[in-house]
Amino acid sequence: MVSFDGLTDLWDRLFSAQPDPPPLLVVLTGLAALLVVSTRLPWRVARNAITIAHEGGHALVALLTGRKLRGIRLHSDTSGLTLSAGRPSGPGMILTLLAGYVAPPLVGLAGAWLLGGNRITLLLWVAVVLLLAMLVMIRNAFGVVSLLVTGGVVLAVSWYTSPQVQAAFAYTGVWFLLLGGVRPVVELQRLRSRGRMPASDADQLAGLTPFPAFFWVAVFALVNLVVLAIGAILLADPLLDGTLLPTR
């Protein structure tokens, strides 16, 4: 049985603020995330995290708009599929389709907000809870393994590593979500221009609205770039405290 003191310690561990990270850590983790996003093999592996956030965005908005979530599938080629039941048109379906490509940077923005308050451990535990909640709706083996591995890594870092390692891991992950939300939009338009994604989210939105698919691709890109800028400002707060600036 868990003691009161144990619960108090856990509460303090989750909700207490960690020390400010070194400004150099913020810079290096941002560069590391940018390197992953811009190179082929690292991106191919890490893109699974973007897919998890993408499909999670579809699923969450489907539930919030009253649609019935049927399941989520994650595939080894980093693609995914979220199935929901409800009206095939209307605001609920439009918002559900819109949510996928903008979800990763928005999740990153929420993470940047938590990091701005130095709630690093809380951020990692929230990530674990969200992954477990999503696991309930996964309908294929690769998806289950992908979420368990991702959640296990995050949990291990939050429980067994030092505050410095937690900070480096959390900042890298948040930078990656912010930066990694931009590349899939570019890839989407490249594939569409070659006729290889006729049923993309953008094309489905075009079928439900008066606007062409390219308009929705542009919306995805604009939202993700704006969110990236805001998230970068939040993450750069330690740099603005004067530590890296010349003193007088």
Side-chain angles (χ1 to χ4, degrees):
M1 185 173 181
V2 180
S3 66
F4 177 77
D5 289 340
L7 290 175
T8 302
D9 290 342
L10 179 60
W11 180 271
D12 290 340
R13 183 171 184 172
L14 283 178
F15 292 96
S16 61
Q18 281 74 42
D20 288 333
L24 185 59
L25 180 144
V26 179
V27 175
L28 292 179
T29 54
L31 291 175
L34 181 60
L35 181 64
V36 171
V37 171
S38 58
T39 51
R40 177 175 294 182
L41 182 58
W43 169 249
R44 175 67 178 76
V45 176
R47 196 185 193 279
N48 283 289
I50 300 297
T51 303
I52 291 171
H54 179 114
E55 301 304 329
H58 282 315
L60 177 61
V61 174
L63 291 173
L64 291 176
T65 56
R67 299 181 64 80
K68 186 171 183 179
L69 189 59
R70 296 296 192 189
I72 303 168
R73 300 177 70 88
L74 304 173
H75 303 132
S76 58
D77 63 355
T78 72
S79 65
L81 178 65
T82 299
L83 297 174
S84 63
R87 289 185 58 193
S89 60
M93 189 64 199
I94 292 172
L95 291 173
T96 298
L97 289 168
L98 183 60
Y101 278 96
V102 301
L106 287 175
V107 173
L109 180 61
W113 177 74
L114 285 174
L115 291 179
N118 289 343
R119 300 304 196 273
I120 296 171
T121 303
L122 178 61
L123 168 62
L124 297 176
W125 277 55
V126 167
V128 171
V129 170
L130 291 175
L131 289 169
L132 288 176
M134 188 173 174
L135 182 62
V136 177
M137 297 307 302
I138 295 295
R139 296 293 182 264
N140 68 322
F142 179 83
V144 171
V145 172
S146 182
L147 284 184
L148 287 177
V149 170
T150 304
V153 170
V154 177
L155 182 60
V157 169
S158 70
W159 194 257
Y160 295 110
T161 65
S162 66
Q164 293 79 12
V165 173
Q166 290 184 31
F169 183 84
Y171 270 87
T172 302
V174 168
W175 274 119
F176 176 72
L177 287 170
L178 290 168
L179 292 164
V182 177
R183 179 166 175 172
V185 179
V186 176
E187 293 175 342
L188 167 65
Q189 183 54 30
R190 184 182 298 126
L191 290 172
R192 286 192 63 260
S193 67
R194 298 172 183 172
R196 294 173 58 185
M197 288 191 71
S200 70
D201 293 350
D203 289 280
Q204 292 182 67
L205 283 165
L208 296 174
T209 67
F211 305 105
F214 183 75
F215 169 85
W216 292 109
V217 175
V219 169
F220 297 154
L222 178 61
V223 171
N224 290 1
L225 288 171
V226 169
V227 172
L228 169 60
I230 297 172
I233 292 171
L234 291 175
L235 292 175
D237 183 65
L239 306 179
L240 305 178
D241 289 339
T243 310
L244 287 186
L245 300 178
T247 57
R248 295 176 182 268

